Amino acid sequence: MNTITVVGSINLDTNLRVDHMPKPGETIHTKELYTAGGGKGANQAVAAKRAGAKTNFIGAIGNDAAGTVMKELLSEEEIELTGVQVLENHVTGQAFITVDETGENNIIIHSGANDAFTAEDVLAQRELIEASDFVIAQFESAVESTIQAFEIAQAAGVKTILNPAPALAKVPEKLLKVTDMIVPNETETEILTGITITDEASMTEAANQLHDLGIAVVIITVGSKGAFYHFDGKSGIVPAMKVKAVDTTAAGDTFIGALSSILKKDFSNLVEAITFGNHASAITVQRFGAQPSIPYQNEIEK
């Protein structure tokens, strides 16, 4: 069983289901309104835990009702929360997610406490990081905190996985130098490398540019097509399963969490782990909400 530490965001999601996305100035009615656990960090932690990994979390919530709800939800998942700060002068992160009839979404995020936990807070969790197999981070929390976590991890021989989402215009080279595996989508890959992703040749070119920064493993997720990998001179596309998507929220987070739960530290089972992640995210997109849609190990194995 892998031990995963996720450094990142915790959001309470407000989900709106609609027939179509509103145009500027248009007022529309929802078909359904509900709240659920979310945040890319928390989603990835839930996905790793449900897929069978021992999971720790480093992040922050506000001292408010949304924070209480999120702490309870993550506690119910049996995720270790000693690394989660409760910050008095900040609200808990929240996301407002609209999903249309085709399963497409748009998301507005208020970061709140996610941007307020510091590199010092991460340093206080050094032992948690050093006892892990993998540390995962995204861009919904302060980058300096992520750099601190990855530096501790690499010094201890713990592998680091960066999901560079939501995309940043400029990713600090200091962070990329302590990243072992990077998992961007096509848009994020273009922002990182300047290379437009159109085919396998362009993905290989982008991967080589990322390898030049010292990143050993590159996985580019390509939606319904699956995931492209490039590692140790080998590459290919692991196809996604063909399913009818109703809500793509948390699909990428599920992929990363599930993949990390079975990945070996030498990446020798990379294709198997990607396949496992693809199966998990195929289940997620067939259900509504972020954390409510994330599957358990027995579902993925079926």
Side-chain angles (χ1 to χ4, degrees):
M1 181 200 292
N2 280 346
T3 298
I4 309 294
T5 296
V6 179
V7 182
S9 57
I10 300 172
N11 292 335
L12 184 65
D13 289 351
T14 298
N15 298 271
L16 305 167
R17 282 185 60 205
V18 297
D19 284 321
H20 64 275
M21 293 296 176
K23 298 179 183 70
E26 182 184 11
T27 301
I28 62 172
H29 287 278
T30 64
K31 295 168 69 174
E32 188 181 5
L33 164 73
Y34 60 96
T35 57
K40 292 190 76 61
N43 295 344
Q44 289 169 12
V46 168
K49 184 73 179 72
R50 289 185 185 175
K54 181 176 186 290
T55 308
N56 311 309
F57 201 93
I58 297 173
I61 52 176
N63 187 13
D64 53 19
T68 302
V69 168
M70 285 311 303
K71 198 158 191 181
E72 283 173 2
L73 286 173
L74 295 174
S75 295
E76 282 168 15
E77 300 288 342
E78 299 181 352
I79 292 167
E80 177 54 61
L81 300 177
T82 51
V84 175
Q85 308 278 319
V86 179
L87 303 178
E88 289 297 329
N89 298 318
H90 296 273
V91 297
T92 299
Q94 294 201 44
F96 301 87
I97 302 169
T98 308
V99 182
D100 70 12
E101 277 300 285
T102 68
E104 286 302 318
N105 61 24
N106 66 30
I107 303 174
I108 300 169
I109 293 171
H110 180 74
S111 294
N114 293 318
D115 268 344
F117 74 92
T118 64
E120 287 71 36
D121 294 327
V122 172
L123 199 54
Q125 305 302 325
R126 177 189 287 275
E127 287 180 15
L128 209 61
I129 293 168
E130 290 175 341
S132 305
D133 295 300
F134 294 95
V135 173
I136 303 174
Q138 338 70 36
F139 287 155
E140 280 186 350
S141 55
V143 174
E144 286 306 316
S145 304
T146 299
I147 293 169
Q148 178 70 83
F150 278 22
E151 285 176 347
I152 294 167
Q154 278 216 332
V158 175
K159 298 298 182 188
T160 57
I161 300 175
L162 179 64
N163 174 215
L168 294 182
K170 184 86 182 87
V171 179
E173 208 162 294
K174 200 161 112 177
L175 175 59
L176 297 175
K177 282 188 177 349
V178 286
T179 297
D180 293 305
M181 174 192 278
I182 194 163
V183 191
N185 64 19
E186 294 149 289
T187 307
E188 292 147 8
T189 303
E190 184 174 348
I191 290 166
L192 281 165
T193 64
I195 295 163
T196 303
I197 301 304
T198 53
D199 55 14
E200 218 164 315
S202 57
M203 288 190 267
T204 299
E205 188 186 348
N208 284 327
Q209 198 180 114
L210 293 166
H211 292 319
D212 289 344
L213 294 166
I215 300 169
V217 184
V218 177
I219 297 174
I220 301 171
T221 57
V222 285
S224 60
K225 294 188 204 79
F228 169 84
Y229 69 91
H230 203 283
F231 167 61
D232 198 23
K234 300 182 189 72
S235 68
I237 292 177
V238 181
M241 298 181 75
K242 297 278 181 278
V243 295
K244 184 175 176 0
V246 298
D247 182 0
T248 56
T249 310
D253 299 331
T254 301
F255 172 77
I256 290 167
L259 172 148
S260 70
S261 73
I262 68 161
L263 188 62
K264 291 180 178 169
K265 285 180 75 175
D266 63 359
F267 305 114
S268 59
N269 68 336
L270 184 63
V271 173
E272 181 195 343
I274 291 170
T275 304
F276 189 73
N278 280 349
H279 287 181
S281 58
I283 297 169
T284 295
V285 300
Q286 294 179 80
R287 309 201 278 221
F288 288 103
Q291 285 163 29
S293 70
I294 296 170
Y296 291 85
Q297 185 177 8
N298 61 339
E299 296 178 276
I300 304 166
E301 286 169 352
K302 273 182 196 165

